[in-house]
Amino acid sequence: MSLFWGCMTGLLVSIGSFFLQVWPRMRNRYFGVDTWRHLLMADHIRIHKELPKTSEKYIFSEPSDYPPLLRIVISFLPKEIADRYQWIISPVFDMLHSLTLFFSGWLLTSNVYGGLIAQVTYILSPLVIIENSNLTTRSFASFLSSLTFFLFVLFLAHGSYWVLSLGFLFGILLITAHRFSLQAFVFYTAGLIIYENSFYPLLFLLACLGGAILVTRGYSWRVLTGHMQMLEYWRRNIHNRYAHQVRGLSKKSSENGEKDTSGDIVFKIYSYIQKLPLIAILASNPSCVIPLLVAILGLSGVLPVSEVGLGTPVWQLLILWSTCLTIVGMAIRQIRFFEFIGEGERYQDSGVFPSSLVTAQLALYLINKGYTAETLTCLMTLWSISLGMSLYLQWKVVYKDNDRSIRDELWDVFRLIDEQPEEVRLMSVPLLLADSAMYFSKAKVLSTDSSIAHLKHYDDFFPVLKKPINQILKQYSITHLLVNSGYVELKELNLNPGYQTLHSGKFYLLRII
């Protein structure tokens, strides 16, 4: 295949991945949770030309400590464009990511088909498809982590300081983009220190962190300290990570004779994951098992990694990259003590890039050895399983969603909020309704963009209600309560009599008197 047609093929596959990710959003344009706070903060940056300290839309006034890069990027778009097309922003970043992977695979395998195999393996990974279903920092950060780690791998293998400088710049961007990707950065750095028997990887990490703090004039330090506070918050509350906000853990609900009538498919998926933790890692990125098997078989002498083409420093570091994050993810999912560090499968955001490359190199080796039919069968099976899981999740979680999407009835509620003559101080059950209400109405919501506010205030009502809801309403001078009746019935809240029902249906809007 010529250079031109090779590039065109990679581009067409990336365009295909874009449409694979956005098809459910063509019907459901207003799906998401964090989406609306990102747009709110981007609007602040657009208007005031500075990072937000807090927002008057939140009842809690503690300073924002969320990584700012995505919000800064969005602020360059006109507000009308950002609002209308927020659903394609993450897929556009992922198009760039898949193209980068395609050219990286082509470069490393010296074969355009190596780039294509890596690219298709990547774009069909369920985690990649679902993560890009709404506007989050994960897609952008996954792209930046791949660039940062890959360039540092090339530096360690070949010693080019130009490559290191470029990796350093992307490392700074990564740290200003996403907190969870910084955790992946830390764990991969620890693996490199052990493998290389050198502290250069640690110096690289610290240099990127210092650069981010300098570039953001200290804001990244606030992000880092906020991240530590958020980890502490989840360390205290991780036992309720998969709990219903009102009913608590499902086992407790069953013992009380209460039926879980919540139709929240995400809540149910998380409950299943808790029972089968390792399945979450494999299901999020099925190709992660390939580098893990290569590492095990290579260390045991069963697989001749040099003959396979995986014995060079670059490939060894790519295998380490993928294997390190997979093992960390499995350990976090399997060992309860580490659960507060984050969902183990999320590390595949940073691990799917190298696992796709290793899968491509191994496939080319087997094809060259004459196992073409067998290899293609394995690849097609892997891709079919990945695509099948992805389409199912897209259908259930995005296309058919009514809990994280703004549909006609919720628009009516927001219009009703705006018609209220008084200031609206809103609490929502579940909490995830707060972000959309904050952005699309005049309501000031019982929520926050601050980690320290989680530690100071959230324990009372999230992840589970620990105080009577009437006490919380009084404590924070709440004037209105928004309730998704598909999530919890009003009678379960044990509200004081005398509230006024402004809207009823799936969503109840109550005026607290």
Side-chain angles (χ1 to χ4, degrees):
M1 188 181 294
S2 68
L3 176 64
F4 172 78
W5 286 111
C7 294
M8 287 300 297
T9 303
L11 178 60
L12 288 174
V13 171
S14 290
I15 293 173
S17 74
F18 172 83
F19 285 104
L20 176 61
Q21 291 171 10
V22 304
W23 74 264
R25 296 300 308 276
M26 292 178 178
R27 174 181 180 268
N28 188 5
R29 299 290 178 91
Y30 292 91
F31 168 83
V33 178
D34 292 343
T35 297
W36 316 122
R37 69 176 59 202
H38 294 322
L39 291 176
L40 178 76
M41 294 304 183
D43 195 42
H44 177 99
I45 296 169
R46 187 183 296 116
I47 295 171
H48 300 284
K49 311 301 180 185
E50 64 178 7
L51 295 176
K53 294 180 180 179
T54 185
S55 171
E56 62 181 15
K57 298 287 284 183
Y58 293 117
I59 288 175
F60 302 127
S61 59
E62 282 77 9
S64 172
D65 52 27
Y66 201 90
L69 184 59
L70 178 65
R71 296 167 174 184
I72 293 172
V73 172
I74 296 172
S75 72
F76 286 103
L77 298 173
K79 185 179 187 302
E80 296 75 14
I81 298 295
D83 287 355
R84 186 173 182 179
Y85 296 106
Q86 36 76 25
W87 55 285
I88 68 171
I89 293 176
S90 289
V92 167
F93 284 129
D94 197 63
M95 279 184 63
L96 299 175
H97 197 173
S98 69
L99 272 175
T100 301
L101 178 60
F102 166 71
F103 286 113
S104 299
W106 190 352
L107 173 69
L108 291 180
T109 64
S110 301
N111 190 321
V112 66
Y113 294 106
L116 289 172
I117 292 171
Q119 187 182 26
V120 173
T121 301
Y122 169 83
I123 67 173
L124 294 181
S125 296
L127 186 67
V128 171
I129 293 175
I130 294 302
E131 292 285 28
N132 292 298
S133 62
N134 67 111
L135 178 59
T136 72
T137 54
R138 295 188 187 109
S139 177
F140 190 29
S142 177
F143 180 36
L144 293 174
S145 67
S146 292
L147 290 170
T148 302
F149 297 175
F150 187 57
L151 289 166
F152 191 58
V153 161
L154 293 178
F155 164 73
L156 292 175
H158 302 298
S160 171
Y161 285 95
W162 287 106
V163 171
L164 177 64
S165 299
L166 194 56
F168 170 66
L169 293 177
F170 282 116
I172 291 175
L173 293 176
L174 173 62
I175 290 171
T176 61
H178 196 219
R179 293 184 292 202
F180 203 92
S181 293
L182 176 57
Q183 290 184 196
F185 200 167
V186 170
F187 285 121
Y188 183 43
T189 297
L192 283 172
I193 290 172
I194 296 171
Y195 180 81
E196 293 281 314
N197 193 26
S198 168
F199 284 100
Y200 282 122
L202 178 60
L203 293 177
F204 177 68
L205 170 61
L206 294 176
C208 292
L209 183 58
I213 292 171
L214 288 174
V215 168
T216 60
R217 299 179 182 179
Y219 189 89
S220 288
W221 179 253
R222 188 200 301 177
V223 172
L224 181 62
T225 55
H227 186 42
M228 296 300 104
Q229 292 161 344
M230 185 63 78
L231 289 175
E232 172 60 18
Y233 171 78
W234 281 114
R235 188 191 67 80
R236 296 180 186 178
N237 293 282
I238 194 61
H239 57 289
N240 283 321
R241 174 64 181 85
Y242 302 104
H244 189 281
Q245 190 177 353
V246 178
R247 300 173 191 142
L249 295 171
S250 57
K251 181 179 179 181
K252 181 178 179 180
S253 297
S254 298
E255 291 173 352
N256 291 340
E258 298 170 3
K259 182 180 178 182
D260 182 10
T261 58
S262 171
D264 190 346
I265 183 64
V266 176
F267 178 79
K268 292 178 180 178
I269 289 172
Y270 277 146
S271 298
Y272 292 138
I273 287 173
Q274 191 177 29
K275 299 172 185 176
L276 301 168
L278 294 183
I279 297 299
I281 310 294
L282 300 178
S284 64
N285 175 27
S287 69
C288 73
V289 74
I290 303 299
L292 190 60
L293 287 175
V294 169
I296 294 171
L297 295 176
L299 290 172
S300 62
V302 176
L303 182 69
V305 290
S306 295
E307 182 182 336
V308 175
L310 296 171
T312 63
V314 169
W315 285 111
Q316 291 288 291
L317 291 169
L318 288 172
I319 292 169
L320 176 69
W321 172 359
S322 174
T323 302
C324 182
L325 295 183
T326 299
I327 291 174
V328 166
M330 288 181 172
I332 290 171
R333 270 296 180 197
Q334 196 67 32
I335 303 172
R336 290 293 179 88
F337 179 79
F338 296 122
E339 276 188 316
F340 74 94
I341 300 176
E343 300 103 324
E345 64 274 10
R346 298 292 186 192
Y347 289 95
Q348 293 305 314
D349 283 335
S350 300
V352 65
F353 186 94
S355 68
S356 299
L357 289 171
V358 174
T359 299
Q361 177 59 29
L362 182 60
L364 288 180
Y365 165 76
L366 293 173
I367 290 172
N368 290 332
K369 295 293 287 186
Y371 299 105
T372 303
E374 294 86 345
T375 303
L376 292 179
T377 299
C378 289
L379 285 175
M380 293 303 295
T381 301
L382 175 69
W383 293 342
S384 297
I385 291 172
S386 298
L387 180 60
M389 288 191 294
S390 300
L391 291 175
Y392 173 78
L393 289 172
Q394 283 182 303
W395 178 262
K396 297 293 286 186
V397 175
V398 184
Y399 188 84
K400 301 287 287 183
D401 175 76
N402 286 307
D403 296 303
R404 291 165 178 77
S405 305
I406 308 175
R407 301 193 186 272
D408 290 344
E409 187 176 356
L410 203 52
W411 286 120
D412 291 340
V413 171
F414 294 159
R415 282 191 288 270
L416 197 55
I417 289 174
D418 285 340
E419 292 171 2
Q420 301 306 299
E422 72 273 29
E423 178 191 34
V424 175
R425 293 171 64 87
L426 184 76
M427 178 180 181
S428 66
V429 181
L431 179 64
L432 59 85
L433 291 172
D435 284 330
S436 56
M438 166 197 67
Y439 192 67
F440 290 107
S441 77
K442 72 174 187 178
K444 190 170 185 175
V445 298
L446 192 69
S447 185
T448 185
D449 198 47
S450 167
S451 300
I452 188 63
H454 279 73
L455 275 175
K456 291 173 66 175
H457 308 293
Y458 265 41
D459 277 345
D460 289 344
F461 61 90
F462 187 81
V464 295
L465 284 169
K466 294 181 181 177
K467 291 183 177 180
I469 194 168
N470 295 300
Q471 184 177 339
I472 294 171
L473 297 175
K474 182 178 180 181
Q475 179 178 350
Y476 296 108
S477 303
I478 300 300
T479 63
H480 294 75
L481 178 65
L482 175 60
V483 180
N484 181 348
S485 64
Y487 182 79
V488 62
E489 297 180 25
L490 280 183
K491 63 181 181 181
E492 295 179 70
L493 298 177
N494 296 317
L495 292 167
N496 289 334
Y499 58 80
Q500 180 183 359
T501 303
L502 300 178
H503 185 279
S504 62
K506 179 179 174 62
F507 296 98
Y508 280 82
L509 180 64
L510 312 175
R511 177 185 283 126
I512 307 302
I513 300 175

